[in-house]
Amino acid sequence: MSAKKHKRKTVKHQQHFGSETKKHNVSLLSRYPRLFLTVGVGLVVIGILLLTVGYISHARVGLSMLSLFFGAGLIIFANFSLPKKLKV
């Protein structure tokens, strides 16, 4: 086999394997960003409700702060992974 033909074959195989690895590296957040956006908004609403409704104890304040923190984080990351609409 000539050297040029061997180089063409190796380049062709390297591109094929590179495209397969990209398909498997897709995260759950990038697949379903609207679901995670909804869950994040739900966590923020639950956190606000825990602070405002009923009597306030240390456990409820802690749960509401955790809910607000994780909800805001989910909203931010889901917002970054939403597909951008192209303006035509």
Side-chain angles (χ1 to χ4, degrees), residues 22-33 36 77 81:
K22 287 183 182 178
K23 291 180 184 176
H24 296 294
N25 292 336
V26 178
S27 69
L28 194 62
L29 181 64
S30 62
R31 282 187 190 171
Y32 308 107
F36 281 96
F77 284 121
S81 64

